[in-house]
Amino acid sequence: MEQRRVTDFFAHRRLGPRAVPPRAKLPCRTPSPAEHAPRAPGSAPSGSRKRARPPADPGQPKAPPPARRRLRLSADAGETYSLGSPADLDSSADPRPRACSSLGTKVQKVTVSADQLSSPAASQDKVPPTDTISELQSCLQRARELGARVQALRAKKDAESLCPPETEHHAEPPCGEKLPAYQRFHALAQPSPPGLVLPYKYQVLAEMFRSMDTIVGMLFNRAETVTFAKVKQGVQDMIRKRFEEHNVGQIKTVYPASYCFRQERNIPTFKDGVRRSDYQLTIEPLLDQETSSAVPQLTASHLLQRRQVFGQKLLERAREHHKAFLASLSPPMEVPDDQLTRWHPRFNVDEVPDIEPAELPQPPTLEKLSTAQEVLARARSLMSPRMEKALSQLALRSAEPSSSALLASPPATSPTTPTGALKGVSQDLLERVRAKEAQKQLAQMTRCPEQELRLQRLERLPELARVLRSVFVSERKPALTMAVVCARMVGSYRTSMSPGEMEKHLLLLSELLPDWLSFHHIRTDTYIKLDKAADLASITMRLAVLTRAEEK
């Protein structure tokens, strides 16, 4: 059977040549799924290189369909892209009518769907209920309110951006707004031992003077005219802060003998916004006349000396405010300047008032007509009688003194100390307590740095005594070397400390309590012996008494 099928296959393959119709050029059209439908046997498309498939023998068993034909689409797709019956395929030799019919089927189905959607029943289902409409209206109203708020915020932001930066810088901060913490507590953040720390604003001014002196010295040594515009740009590049004319006025207030300021014109400037005929503020450093050279120079030694003088003047101003604070205390205090080593504990250094800027030379003002009387006197002959009468009335109105403009200044009230909390306390006791506190603060302000360091070590001794005794108890030895004891105590103490610093604390402890702690030098090592039988509470009490005696 199989041999006969092969023979029939080759017999059908040897068919005679057929007349091939002339190839016609098809017009450009959109491809349709109908074009991919299988064609009837014997009707091969024109121009195809494949041989026609012979018709199947009715006696032969029907072969299974190929895999491409076994694919089935969904119901909708199957209806849209139906292949049609074999009779239709045989009757239509040209694929173009099938494509048109397929497109017509699609249009018909889309039209039916649109008719179904536009039916009254569907429209009734799609109508939203009344509560949904009210919700939509409320959401729309809320969106309009939010849009109005956004536009108001944008307008406010644009108005703030249009303000010049100079006015924002000179404006004083409001009473409720506080300065940043690094400015309010700058003195407290300085490393110990405490001393006469300058306020933050004074330190910034000292840095501005140093930068300004450097820029002025460079330009002055090159025999170039020093203008404020050149100095401003250089100082701002060095300190990364704003440098304005009021800062120059503060420098002049603190150190008036440092510079000579003038308003000059006809200075060559290479800027578009400044004309040669405009007045500019020029800066000239004032030097000693002891220099032997014909051309004076602002050398590095001059810069260092001027910087030290400026720092001393700032410190004198801070001392003046400190003196005023001491005089305002209830028991007034007075400390000589040569004995003052630190500020009063209640003196807030960073709240010292700003330095008032001195007046700088201003460019000569040209004659300008600012009042109606001046305009009337100047242009009386150039105006009409009606305009002259209006200007006369305005001049008379502005000349009358306005009583509403006079504002009475509120009387200054002296701060009074509240006495409600101290009601019933003896006045003599209060005086003694205040005198004792003032004496303690006076001793604290006049204490030298060596005494301050000794007191800091005395405050650590009670805890170090407990650690030292625990080291001897854990080691179970009557004597230990200095290196071993220092290493154990450094590892056990709550703060980091070097072995050399720990040794100084042990020497001080041995000096204060020789009967409890003793040193023995044997050859090259130093041994420490401790009386472990002594009461640790009594040792701690003795150290506290010695510390209080040192503080007085």
Side-chain angles (χ1 to χ4, degrees):
M1 180 178 179
E2 296 295 332
Q3 182 66 28
R4 189 180 61 178
R5 288 182 61 186
V6 172
T7 307
D8 293 343
F9 172 75
F10 281 104
H12 287 289
R13 295 278 292 180
R14 294 174 183 172
L15 297 176
R18 295 187 178 186
V20 180
R23 185 175 181 180
K25 187 175 181 181
L26 298 177
C28 297
R29 56 189 177 84
T30 306
S32 175
E35 297 180 4
H36 301 285
R39 295 173 174 82
S43 60
S46 62
S48 176
R49 295 186 179 182
K50 291 185 178 181
R51 297 179 181 178
R53 179 173 296 181
D57 191 1
Q60 296 289 339
K62 187 176 181 180
R68 188 175 298 177
R69 289 190 180 183
R70 284 199 298 267
L71 294 177
R72 292 292 181 267
L73 300 178
S74 60
D76 299 338
E79 292 175 4
T80 307
Y81 303 105
S82 59
L83 297 177
S85 61
D88 297 337
L89 295 175
D90 294 334
S91 60
S92 59
D94 193 0
R96 282 177 291 180
R98 287 195 300 269
C100 297
S101 61
S102 176
L103 290 176
T105 307
K106 290 183 183 180
V107 172
Q108 183 179 3
K109 287 185 175 295
V110 170
T111 307
V112 171
S113 301
D115 295 336
Q116 292 176 359
L117 290 177
S118 60
S119 61
S123 61
Q124 292 179 2
D125 296 340
K126 294 298 180 178
V127 172
T130 309
D131 55 351
T132 308
I133 295 177
S134 61
E135 291 179 1
L136 290 177
Q137 291 179 354
S138 62
C139 292
L140 182 59
Q141 182 66 21
R142 179 63 177 170
R144 289 174 181 174
E145 293 178 359
L146 292 177
R149 289 177 59 185
V150 168
Q151 291 182 0
L153 291 176
R154 286 180 179 175
K156 183 178 179 182
K157 186 176 181 181
D158 295 341
E160 291 179 355
S161 62
L162 292 177
C163 295
E166 289 79 11
T167 57
E168 295 178 1
H169 183 266
H170 293 294
E172 295 292 335
C175 299
E177 183 180 355
K178 292 184 178 179
L179 294 175
Y182 72 92
Q183 295 183 13
R184 288 186 284 119
F185 308 107
H186 176 263
L188 300 178
Q190 298 306 307
S192 59
L196 299 177
V197 182
L198 288 176
Y200 177 78
K201 57 189 73 174
Y202 283 13
Q203 292 192 5
V204 171
L205 190 62
E207 187 68 16
M208 288 182 178
F209 177 78
R210 184 189 66 83
S211 305
M212 177 180 175
D213 226 18
T214 303
I215 301 298
V216 170
M218 293 171 55
L219 299 176
F220 180 75
N221 294 339
R222 294 188 303 201
E224 186 177 346
T225 304
V226 184
T227 60
F228 173 72
K230 300 177 184 177
V231 175
K232 177 182 178 180
Q233 186 62 35
V235 172
Q236 289 184 161
D237 292 343
M238 289 181 67
I239 65 176
R240 301 297 180 184
K241 291 182 176 65
R242 295 182 62 86
F243 185 70
E244 303 294 342
E245 287 192 9
H246 78 278
N247 299 123
V248 180
Q250 291 177 341
I251 291 174
K252 184 180 179 181
T253 303
V254 177
Y255 193 6
S258 57
Y259 298 106
C260 177
F261 301 96
R262 285 188 294 267
Q263 285 286 346
E264 299 181 5
R265 59 195 305 180
N266 297 326
I267 299 175
T269 56
F270 303 97
K271 293 184 178 180
D272 298 336
V274 181
R275 295 176 297 179
R276 191 183 182 94
S277 59
D278 294 343
Y279 283 93
Q280 298 188 51
L281 180 64
T282 60
I283 306 171
E284 180 182 356
L286 298 177
L287 303 176
D288 298 334
Q289 302 298 330
E290 299 176 359
T291 55
S292 59
S293 59
V295 180
Q297 295 286 324
L298 195 59
T299 59
S301 59
H302 286 93
L303 295 178
L304 183 59
Q305 180 183 1
R306 290 159 62 91
R307 181 182 177 185
Q308 293 175 354
V309 171
F310 191 81
Q312 290 295 329
K313 290 184 178 296
L314 288 177
L315 186 58
E316 290 176 2
R317 285 183 167 270
R319 281 177 177 169
E320 291 177 0
H321 293 289
H322 185 254
K323 282 183 181 179
F325 174 78
L326 294 180
S328 65
L329 296 177
S330 56
M333 301 173 60
E334 185 177 356
V335 183
D337 293 342
D338 55 348
Q339 297 181 8
L340 185 65
T341 57
R342 58 181 300 179
W343 306 118
H344 192 274
R346 287 186 291 172
F347 177 63
N348 197 341
V349 187
D350 294 309
E351 288 187 358
V352 171
D354 291 340
I355 299 174
E356 293 294 332
E359 294 185 1
L360 298 176
Q362 299 297 327
T365 56
L366 301 177
E367 185 180 1
K368 294 182 180 180
L369 303 177
S370 58
T371 62
Q373 187 69 28
E374 295 177 357
V375 174
L376 182 61
R378 180 65 60 87
R380 187 177 295 272
S381 60
L382 302 177
M383 61 183 65
S384 62
R386 186 176 180 181
M387 186 179 296
E388 182 179 356
K389 182 179 179 181
L391 288 175
S392 310
Q393 294 177 359
L394 182 60
L396 293 175
R397 194 179 307 165
S398 60
E400 297 176 357
S402 58
S403 58
S404 62
L406 300 177
L407 299 177
S409 60
T413 59
S414 59
T416 59
T417 305
T419 59
L422 303 177
K423 188 176 182 179
V425 182
S426 174
Q427 191 67 22
D428 297 338
L429 179 59
L430 290 177
E431 293 295 336
R432 287 198 301 269
V433 170
R434 288 169 181 170
K436 189 175 181 180
E437 184 181 0
Q439 183 181 1
K440 182 179 179 180
Q441 292 173 354
L442 180 61
Q444 188 177 5
M445 286 187 293
T446 57
R447 191 178 296 148
C448 61
E450 291 79 9
Q451 293 178 355
E452 189 71 28
L453 185 59
R454 180 182 174 87
L455 285 176
Q456 291 179 1
R457 291 175 181 172
L458 284 173
E459 292 175 356
R460 301 191 191 106
L461 287 185
E463 187 175 356
L464 288 177
R466 290 192 292 269
V467 175
L468 180 62
R469 188 177 184 278
S470 64
V471 169
F472 271 87
V473 170
S474 62
E475 291 292 336
R476 297 181 181 180
K477 292 182 181 179
L480 294 173
T481 60
M482 178 69 76
V484 173
V485 172
C486 291
R488 296 290 192 276
M489 295 186 67
V490 166
S492 302
Y493 193 55
R494 54 188 174 86
T495 59
S496 61
M497 191 181 301
S498 63
E501 186 68 21
M502 185 63 69
E503 184 176 351
K504 293 179 182 178
H505 285 76
L506 293 178
L507 290 174
L508 180 59
L509 188 59
S510 175
E511 177 186 348
L512 298 177
L513 303 174
D515 55 340
W516 184 66
L517 184 66
S518 60
F519 290 150
H520 301 276
H521 301 280
I522 301 175
R523 296 177 185 173
T524 58
D525 293 336
T526 301
Y527 288 86
I528 302 177
K529 291 190 67 176
L530 182 69
D531 186 9
K532 293 186 287 185
D535 187 13
L536 187 59
S538 62
I539 296 298
T540 306
M541 187 180 300
R542 289 171 60 184
L543 289 175
V545 171
L546 292 174
T547 304
R548 286 197 296 268
E550 289 279 348
E551 289 180 353
K552 292 182 180 179

